[in-house]
Amino acid sequence: MAMVKANAYGHGLVDVARYLEAADSLAVARLSEAAALRSAGESRPLVLLEGVFTGADLAAAAELKCELVVHNPMQVSLLSDYAGQYRFAVWLKIDSGMHRLGFSSDTWADHYQRLADLASVRDVRLMTHYASADDPADAQSTQQLQFMQQLMSTFDGPISLANSPALFRDDQDLCGLAGRDAHRVWLRPGIALYGLSPFESVDADALDLKPVMNFDARLISVQSIRPGDKVGYGGRFVAARDTCIGVVAAGYGDGYPRAMPDGTPVLVDGQRASIAGRVSMDMLTVDITDLPSARVGSEVRLWGAGLPAELIAAFADTISYELVTRVAARVRRQFVTA
Ligand SMILES: *Cc1c(COP(=O)(O)O)cnc(C)c1O
């Protein structure tokens, strides 16, 4: 089950879905995303990760032939009230300890039975979500896994546990793939599909992942400034020497965070330079003093191959997920086969 929510983590929903030929199903967070995929001819199962919240949305989900995550009693009632012909595949979400979405250990079995008895429901599968699988030192995943293992011993239908970090953990089988269960386990990779590491302390290389996104722009102006000259809004960067400033045609309006501090690395024609001055809406400025060959038209990589999004994210005190997901709609996506 490939996670293509949030515009395929910013990469471009419809195109990415086409490239993910091997996925058995695709998961989205919004009906509009399912609609976009169906309009593009997508015929695989589409999972609505938070389900629906009104009867009208349920009817739309039927029209789009969506599988539904059901995580609260209101959603069970919607299915009970549904009078249409469609029969939904349902993922009953179990709260195994994250306390975000899902039914508790006391209530899930009743709701499971209620759903299984409904004419609008074709079959019921179980899923849960790990809160801290990206932190091998955290004991919570083990507790969540044990909870689910107990449940798996009384239920023999399809089950789905693992996000990207759970897939790569070798200390225990957080995917639930062990032995006779393998055939009924659905994996839910997200960030790893895009070649980014789900772990703070392990980089993508070490996991044999290659970043899918190169976020590139070009230099549109070059300025020579003197010691003491200030650059950009608020004059945050002050030149300490004769300095050459390159102006890049990308800013926070494109999804490059305004929070990026001076010193954040970029690659200009493949060579390291760094942010100098506050990021503007449509532009940002870099110190290219040590790159005499840089000129108007030079390519500037903001993150991607050779400049991990995970590294850049740390400069803005965030994670790669947020960087790639926030690349704005106006940024042209160009798809090339490596
Ligand atoms: C987004 C999401 C995932 C994928 O998480 P990654 O850490 O990106 O692999 C898996 N399961 C659910 C329910 C999600 O919402």
Side-chain angles (χ1 to χ4, degrees):
M1 187 191 299
M3 297 293 131
V4 295
K5 62 193 183 188
N7 197 25
Y9 287 48
H11 292 65
L13 173 64
V14 167
D15 292 274
V16 165
R18 284 203 188 106
Y19 279 97
L20 291 171
E21 287 167 2
D24 296 308
S25 71
L26 303 166
V28 295
R30 298 283 185 269
L31 273 169
S32 58
E33 295 169 321
L37 287 168
R38 288 292 183 240
S39 298
E42 182 57 61
S43 60
R44 285 172 286 186
L46 301 179
V47 183
L48 264 183
L49 284 168
E50 284 93 45
V52 294
F53 302 92
T54 65
D57 282 354
L58 186 62
E63 201 65 36
L64 295 166
K65 297 185 162 50
C66 289
E67 297 184 356
L68 299 177
V69 171
V70 167
H71 56 78
N72 69 28
M74 183 274 285
Q75 295 178 317
V76 180
S77 298
L78 283 177
L79 280 163
S80 163
D81 295 344
Y82 176 73
Q85 296 299 305
Y86 191 69
R87 303 188 71 215
F88 291 93
V90 167
W91 291 93
L92 183 70
K93 187 135 181 188
I94 310 283
D95 176 13
S96 56
M98 185 170 185
H99 299 316
R100 191 175 61 177
L101 293 183
F103 293 97
S104 68
S105 54
D106 308 332
T107 62
W108 79 269
D110 286 348
H111 289 286
Y112 174 84
Q113 204 48 54
R114 233 186 118 195
L115 284 166
D117 292 341
L118 290 177
S120 57
V121 172
R122 190 177 78 210
D123 58 75
V124 187
R125 306 95 182 261
L126 299 184
M127 72 183 288
T128 195
H129 196 55
Y130 289 113
S132 309
D134 58 323
D135 180 5
D138 192 301
Q140 191 176 11
S141 304
T142 310
Q143 290 156 9
Q144 290 189 263
L145 176 65
Q146 283 166 352
F147 177 83
M148 291 306 291
Q149 278 170 335
Q150 238 174 354
L151 195 146
M152 285 168 80
S153 64
T154 64
F155 169 83
D156 57 10
I159 188 140
S160 179
L161 312 174
N163 52 0
S164 297
L167 282 172
F168 286 92
R169 287 274 295 269
D170 50 15
D171 51 337
Q172 53 183 313
D173 176 29
L174 295 182
C175 306
L177 279 173
R180 62 190 179 81
D181 285 322
H183 70 282
R184 64 182 178 125
V185 167
W186 286 75
L187 306 174
R188 303 196 309 273
I191 199 77
L193 292 174
Y194 307 97
L196 299 170
S197 172
F199 302 104
E200 204 172 308
S201 53
V202 185
D203 59 19
D205 268 352
L207 302 171
D208 212 13
L209 294 171
K210 294 193 183 71
V212 171
M213 179 188 291
N214 293 321
F215 189 19
D216 294 339
R218 287 190 187 277
L219 285 186
I220 56 167
S221 181
V222 172
Q223 300 270 358
S224 294
I225 61 171
R226 313 290 303 271
D229 286 350
K230 297 172 176 175
V231 176
Y233 287 120
R236 183 179 74 183
F237 179 84
V238 183
R241 54 176 178 164
D242 286 328
T243 297
C244 201
I245 293 292
V247 182
V248 183
Y252 62 78
D254 300 289
Y256 191 87
R258 184 172 177 278
M260 290 302 190
D262 290 343
T264 305
V266 300
L267 297 178
V268 179
D269 288 335
Q271 292 183 287
R272 199 94 166 214
S274 62
I275 297 289
R278 202 168 271 160
V279 174
S280 313
M281 187 181 291
D282 307 309
M283 292 174 276
L284 55 83
T285 40
V286 294
D287 182 346
I288 52 170
T289 313
D290 300 324
L291 306 179
S293 66
R295 50 184 38 84
V296 170
S298 287
E299 187 175 82
V300 181
R301 174 149 301 165
L302 302 173
W303 60 73
L307 190 66
E310 296 92 326
L311 169 79
I312 302 306
F315 279 88
D317 201 18
T318 184
I319 54 176
S320 65
Y321 293 68
E322 187 177 9
L323 285 192
V324 293
T325 301
R326 293 180 70 162
V327 172
R330 75 178 187 183
V331 175
R332 187 160 48 91
R333 270 73 172 169
Q334 214 177 341
F335 292 84
V336 294
T337 307

Coordinates of all heavy atoms in Angstrom, one line a residue, residues 1 3-5 9 27-29 49-50 69 93 100-101 127-130 134 160-167 187-194 198 321, ligand 1:
M1 N 0.9 -1.2 0.0 CA 0.0 0.0 0.0 C 0.9 1.2 0.0 O 1.5 1.6 1.0 CB -0.9 0.0 1.3 CG -2.0 1.1 1.3 SD -2.8 1.2 2.9 CE -3.5 -0.4 3.1
M3 N 2.0 5.0 0.0 CA 1.4 6.3 0.5 C 1.7 7.4 -0.5 O 2.9 7.8 -0.8 CB 2.1 6.6 1.8 CG 1.9 5.7 2.9 SD 0.2 5.6 3.5 CE -0.1 3.9 3.5
V4 N 0.6 7.9 -1.1 CA 0.8 9.0 -2.1 C 0.0 10.2 -1.6 O -0.3 11.1 -2.4 CB 0.4 8.5 -3.5 CG1 1.3 7.5 -4.1 CG2 -1.1 8.0 -3.6
K5 N -0.4 10.2 -0.4 CA -1.1 11.4 0.2 C -0.2 12.6 0.1 O 1.0 12.5 -0.2 CB -1.4 11.1 1.7 CG -0.1 10.9 2.5 CD -0.4 10.3 3.9 CE 0.9 10.2 4.7 NZ 0.7 9.5 5.9
Y9 N 3.8 13.2 -1.2 CA 4.8 13.8 -0.4 C 5.4 15.0 -1.2 O 6.7 15.2 -1.2 CB 5.9 12.8 0.0 CG 5.4 11.9 1.1 CD1 4.2 11.2 1.0 CD2 6.2 11.6 2.2 CE1 3.8 10.3 2.0 CE2 5.8 10.7 3.2 CZ 4.6 10.1 3.1 OH 4.3 9.2 4.1
A27 N -2.6 4.9 -1.1 CA -3.3 5.5 0.0 C -3.2 7.0 0.0 O -2.2 7.6 -0.3 CB -2.7 5.0 1.4
V28 N -4.4 7.6 0.2 CA -4.5 9.1 0.1 C -5.2 9.6 1.4 O -5.8 8.8 2.1 CB -5.3 9.5 -1.1 CG1 -4.5 9.2 -2.4 CG2 -6.7 8.9 -1.1
A29 N -5.2 10.9 1.6 CA -5.8 11.4 2.8 C -7.1 12.2 2.5 O -7.9 12.5 3.4 CB -4.8 12.3 3.6
L49 N -7.2 7.3 4.1 CA -6.6 7.0 5.3 C -7.3 7.5 6.6 O -7.1 7.0 7.7 CB -5.2 7.6 5.3 CG -4.1 6.9 4.5 CD1 -2.9 7.7 4.3 CD2 -3.8 5.5 5.1
E50 N -8.1 8.6 6.4 CA -8.9 9.0 7.6 C -10.3 8.7 7.4 O -11.2 9.2 8.3 CB -8.6 10.5 7.9 CG -7.3 10.7 8.6 CD -6.2 11.1 7.6 OE1 -6.4 11.9 6.7 OE2 -5.1 10.5 7.7
V69 N -10.7 3.7 5.7 CA -10.3 3.5 7.1 C -11.4 4.0 8.0 O -12.0 5.0 7.8 CB -9.0 4.3 7.4 CG1 -8.7 4.2 8.9 CG2 -7.8 3.7 6.6
K93 N -9.3 0.7 12.2 CA -8.1 1.2 12.8 C -8.1 1.0 14.3 O -9.0 1.4 15.0 CB -7.9 2.7 12.5 CG -6.5 3.2 12.9 CD -5.9 4.1 11.9 CE -4.6 4.6 12.3 NZ -4.1 5.6 11.3
R100 N -3.9 8.6 18.6 CA -4.3 9.6 17.6 C -5.6 9.1 17.1 O -6.6 9.6 17.5 CB -3.2 9.8 16.6 CG -3.4 11.0 15.7 CD -2.3 11.2 14.7 NE -2.1 10.1 13.8 CZ -1.2 10.1 12.8 NH1 -0.4 11.2 12.7 NH2 -1.0 9.1 12.0
L101 N -5.6 8.1 16.2 CA -6.8 7.6 15.7 C -7.0 6.1 16.1 O -6.0 5.4 16.3 CB -6.8 7.6 14.1 CG -6.9 9.0 13.4 CD1 -7.0 8.8 11.9 CD2 -8.0 9.9 13.9
M127 N -5.8 -2.4 10.9 CA -4.6 -1.7 10.8 C -4.3 -0.9 12.1 O -5.2 -0.7 12.9 CB -4.6 -0.7 9.6 CG -5.5 0.5 9.8 SD -5.6 1.5 8.4 CE -4.0 2.3 8.4
T128 N -3.0 -0.6 12.2 CA -2.6 0.3 13.3 C -1.4 1.1 12.9 O -0.9 0.9 11.7 CB -2.3 -0.5 14.6 OG1 -2.2 0.4 15.7 CG2 -0.9 -1.2 14.5
H129 N -1.0 2.0 13.7 CA 0.1 2.9 13.3 C 1.1 3.1 14.4 O 0.7 3.2 15.6 CB -0.5 4.3 12.9 CG 0.5 5.2 12.1 ND1 1.1 4.7 10.9 CD2 0.9 6.4 12.3 CE1 1.9 5.7 10.5 NE2 1.8 6.7 11.3
Y130 N 2.4 3.0 14.1 CA 3.4 3.1 15.1 C 3.7 4.6 15.4 O 3.8 5.4 14.5 CB 4.7 2.5 14.7 CG 4.7 1.0 14.7 CD1 4.7 0.2 13.5 CD2 4.5 0.2 15.9 CE1 4.7 -1.1 13.5 CE2 4.5 -1.1 15.9 CZ 4.6 -1.8 14.7 OH 4.5 -3.2 14.7
D134 N 10.6 5.2 14.4 CA 11.8 5.8 13.9 C 12.9 5.9 15.0 O 14.0 6.4 14.7 CB 11.5 7.2 13.3 CG 10.8 8.1 14.3 OD1 10.0 7.6 15.1 OD2 11.1 9.3 14.3
S160 N -2.4 -4.6 8.7 CA -1.4 -3.6 8.2 C -0.8 -2.9 9.4 O -1.5 -2.2 10.1 CB -2.0 -2.7 7.2 OG -1.0 -1.8 6.8
L161 N 0.5 -3.0 9.6 CA 1.2 -2.3 10.7 C 2.2 -1.3 10.3 O 2.3 -0.3 11.0 CB 1.9 -3.4 11.5 CG 1.2 -4.7 11.9 CD1 2.1 -5.6 12.6 CD2 0.0 -4.3 12.9
A162 N 3.0 -1.6 9.3 CA 4.3 -1.0 9.1 C 4.3 0.3 8.2 O 3.9 0.2 7.1 CB 5.3 -2.0 8.6
N163 N 4.8 1.4 8.8 CA 5.3 2.5 8.0 C 6.7 2.4 7.6 O 7.3 1.3 7.9 CB 5.0 3.8 8.8 CG 5.6 3.8 10.2 OD1 6.3 2.8 10.5 ND2 5.5 4.8 11.0
S164 N 7.3 3.4 7.0 CA 8.7 3.2 6.5 C 9.7 2.8 7.6 O 10.5 1.9 7.4 CB 9.2 4.5 5.8 OG 8.5 4.8 4.7
P165 N 9.8 3.5 8.7 CA 10.8 3.1 9.7 C 10.6 1.7 10.2 O 11.6 0.9 10.4 CB 10.6 4.1 10.9 CG 9.2 4.7 10.7 CD 9.0 4.7 9.2
A166 N 9.4 1.2 10.3 CA 9.1 -0.2 10.8 C 9.7 -1.2 9.7 O 10.1 -2.3 10.1 CB 7.6 -0.4 11.0
L167 N 9.7 -0.8 8.5 CA 10.2 -1.7 7.4 C 11.7 -1.9 7.5 O 12.2 -2.9 7.1 CB 10.0 -1.0 6.0 CG 8.6 -1.1 5.5 CD1 8.5 -0.3 4.2 CD2 8.3 -2.6 5.1
L187 N 2.1 -3.7 3.8 CA 3.1 -2.7 4.2 C 2.7 -1.3 3.7 O 2.2 -1.2 2.6 CB 4.5 -3.1 3.7 CG 4.9 -4.5 4.1 CD1 6.2 -4.9 3.4 CD2 5.0 -4.7 5.6
R188 N 3.0 -0.3 4.5 CA 2.6 1.0 4.2 C 3.8 2.0 4.1 O 3.8 3.0 4.8 CB 1.6 1.6 5.2 CG 0.3 0.7 5.4 CD -0.8 1.5 6.1 NE -0.4 2.2 7.3 CZ -0.3 1.6 8.5 NH1 -0.7 0.3 8.7 NH2 0.1 2.3 9.5
P189 N 4.7 1.8 3.1 CA 5.8 2.7 3.0 C 5.3 4.1 2.5 O 4.5 4.2 1.6 CB 6.7 2.0 2.0 CG 5.8 1.2 1.2 CD 4.7 0.8 2.1
G190 N 5.9 5.1 3.1 CA 5.7 6.5 2.6 C 7.0 7.1 2.2 O 7.5 6.9 1.1
I191 N 7.7 7.7 3.2 CA 8.9 8.5 2.9 C 10.0 7.7 2.2 O 10.7 8.2 1.3 CB 9.5 9.1 4.2 CG1 10.4 10.3 3.9 CG2 10.2 8.1 5.1 CD1 9.7 11.6 3.5
A192 N 10.1 6.4 2.5 CA 11.1 5.6 1.9 C 10.9 5.4 0.4 O 11.9 5.3 -0.4 CB 11.2 4.2 2.5
L193 N 9.6 5.5 -0.1 CA 9.4 5.4 -1.5 C 10.0 6.6 -2.2 O 10.3 6.5 -3.4 CB 7.9 5.5 -1.8 CG 7.0 4.3 -1.3 CD1 5.5 4.7 -1.5 CD2 7.3 3.1 -2.1
Y194 N 10.2 7.7 -1.5 CA 10.7 8.9 -2.1 C 12.2 9.0 -1.9 O 12.9 10.0 -2.1 CB 10.0 10.1 -1.6 CG 8.5 9.9 -1.8 CD1 7.6 9.4 -0.8 CD2 7.9 10.1 -3.1 CE1 6.3 9.2 -1.0 CE2 6.6 9.8 -3.3 CZ 5.8 9.4 -2.3 OH 4.5 9.1 -2.5
P198 N 13.7 7.5 7.0 CA 12.8 7.8 8.1 C 13.4 8.0 9.4 O 12.7 8.3 10.4 CB 11.9 6.5 8.1 CG 12.7 5.4 7.6 CD 13.7 6.1 6.6
Y321 N 10.3 15.1 5.5 CA 8.8 14.9 5.2 C 8.2 16.3 4.9 O 7.5 16.5 3.9 CB 8.0 14.3 6.3 CG 8.3 12.9 6.7 CD1 9.5 12.5 7.3 CD2 7.3 11.9 6.6 CE1 9.7 11.2 7.8 CE2 7.5 10.6 7.0 CZ 8.6 10.3 7.6 OH 8.8 9.0 8.0
Ligands
LIG1 C1 1.7 8.6 6.1 C2 1.4 7.3 6.7 C3 2.3 6.2 6.5 C4 3.7 6.3 5.9 O1 4.6 6.9 6.9 P1 6.1 7.0 6.5 O2 6.8 7.3 7.7 O3 6.2 8.1 5.5 O4 6.5 5.7 5.8 C5 1.9 5.0 7.0 N1 0.7 4.8 7.5 C6 -0.2 5.8 7.7 C7 -1.5 5.5 8.4 C8 0.1 7.1 7.3 O5 -0.8 8.1 7.5

